[in-house]
Amino acid sequence: MAGPLRAALLALLCLLLLSPLVSGVSRSWFSFRRPAQVDLPSWVSRRMLAANLAQPNYTLYHRKEDLLRKVSDIVKANPSFMREEVLSAKDGDYAAEVKVVTVEPWGFTDRKDKAHLLMDFGEHGREYISSELGLLLMQTLQKPEALLNVFGDGDVERGKRLQKLMAGTVIKILPMENEGGRRLVESGRLCERKNGRGVDPNRNWPIDWGTKEPDYDPNEEYPGTAPFSEPEVKLLSGLAKDFAPHVWLNVHSGMEAMFTPWDHIAEVPPAAREALNILLQIHKDLMGGTTCAVGSGGKTVGYLAHGTATDYMFEVLKVPMSYTWEIYGDFQAHFDDCFRMFNPLDEKGVNDVLTRWLRAIFRLVELMPSHPAMANSTAWSEPAPAVQPAGKPAATATPQPAGSQDGQQQAAPVKKEEGKAGEGTAPAQGSGQAQGHTQAQAQQQGTDASRTTTPDTTPKPGTAGAQPAKASSQAQGGASTGAGSKPGATTGATKTGEASSKTLSTQSGATSTVGAEAAGPNESGPQFTVVASQLGFGGSWATSFVVGAAAVAGIVVVGVLAYRCTRGTRGYDRIGARRSGSSPV
């Protein structure tokens, strides 16, 4: 029995060695946030992965400073209806700036009855495509005639109706909320999700703050030491309270989805049903042939997220149309391949994503008056001023390559990839919603803010609009509100004192998947809709071949050992038979 037992033990050992690879190949994950990392055996060189990791292509994407410079240039070229604020706050040694652009098409007025839209891009550093959409939106808004054919259908009358809607709307745009996290990504930490000191800005809000799910990973979702502990979150909260938006739109990447509240509960609250109906209409009109999911974040994405901005906007500030949009995700990407996971890599992919979701934004504007909260609004009672386009009616803006000059069009650039990561300190102790509200109020009372105005009288030419294409989505995936990233170590902020200041410069597809709750509050359905794909140890044929070859080699070794052991046993049997006077047949 010694031989067969030895063979069995060796076979078991081989299986144990191969099991991490097998589980890594077959495991499925969401993309909204990255899952816990699958450890590879020590004999698998991580250089094999590093060689295939996508890197940002800065002919397709803008670096942080370049993107924000283009935003400022657009504002300076259009001082009659655009202005930029630079909000700043400091907590201890950590300081943050948030740039906010206010757009009131056809000129600033004293009207108080206009519809208010607050749009947040770039809340997570690794999600480059989000801020690119914010830039494209501004490039489109700077040319009122571009609205005449923003949907690419040639319907000029529809374009004129959209112009009238925009004339009754004020938009505040944060092109890149998390500048500190983006800075870390550009320094090489492609999976960074959190801010400059390791706190997830989309887990630092009071609603159910600090609650930890069983799979909680501080590298992805560290919520900070208390609600509103982060300067970025404090600034955004103050802005939202002052502005009182009718629409809150938080744009992320990690999957294709449109979410309503709740994020921390797996259901759509009754007060968000009408907002959900608007998303369903957008889905019907624009998301055909994609994997785009619709529903509440907590139910549709497959996991609960606590302390999110969208839940706060809906519950505390009573924003009737509170949304989180996920505009891209590649679920075939490896865990460490963050840029690929959260951003399209080639020109066509970038243009397709930006075109589709730019149109979705303007479709949201078209549908906004249908919400009951806007039933008695007089925002659109006045006609839009006449637009005199120069030349032909403008088509939808197409995204400009990052390397192009403002006002010029260039040939299509090459592929591009990016990733972002998250780092965090040891998780803070969460005590749920009640404690979160108390701590948030205490922290906000200690803030001292001041605002100064500095006029700028040197307008510069604006950037040329770009014309979007249609989005081609990648493999399916799931994401949570504002998500995904790579772990990194950071230290939770200890609040020692805050001074915040505001400086205002006036500067002149696949099959769609819909969450079960979308059908209606009383309909039964799956608890959540998951668009998931296999997360492989490499994600390419080469790495698949390596895994297969290793498995075959292991099986061959086990077979040879088993054969030799069995052969040896037969030899002993023959010897015994001879000694007993019998011979084998």
Side-chain angles (χ1 to χ4, degrees), residues 7 93 103 111 114 118 170 179 185 267 271 342 375 381 436 546 571:
D93 294 332
V103 182
R111 289 180 56 187
K114 289 191 175 185
L118 179 56
V170 179
E179 294 186 26
V185 174
E267 65 180 34
F342 293 96
S381 57
V546 171

Side-chain angles (χ1 to χ4, degrees), residues 397-452:
T398 48
Q400 279 187 198
S404 65
Q405 297 295 324
D406 295 349
Q408 299 179 356
Q409 292 183 347
Q410 289 191 355
V414 289
K415 299 182 180 179
K416 150 129 197 171
E417 316 173 356
E418 319 179 343
K420 314 173 184 180
E423 298 184 353
T425 57
Q429 296 298 322
S431 55
Q433 181 175 347
Q435 176 184 352
H437 282 294
T438 305
Q439 292 176 333
Q441 294 170 357
Q443 287 201 354
Q444 283 199 319
Q445 290 173 356
T447 303
D448 180 22
S450 63
R451 172 174 297 198
T452 58

Side-chain angles (χ1 to χ4, degrees), residues 449-466:
S450 63
R451 172 174 297 198
T452 58
T453 304
T454 307
D456 187 343
T457 57
T458 57
K460 298 181 183 178
T463 53

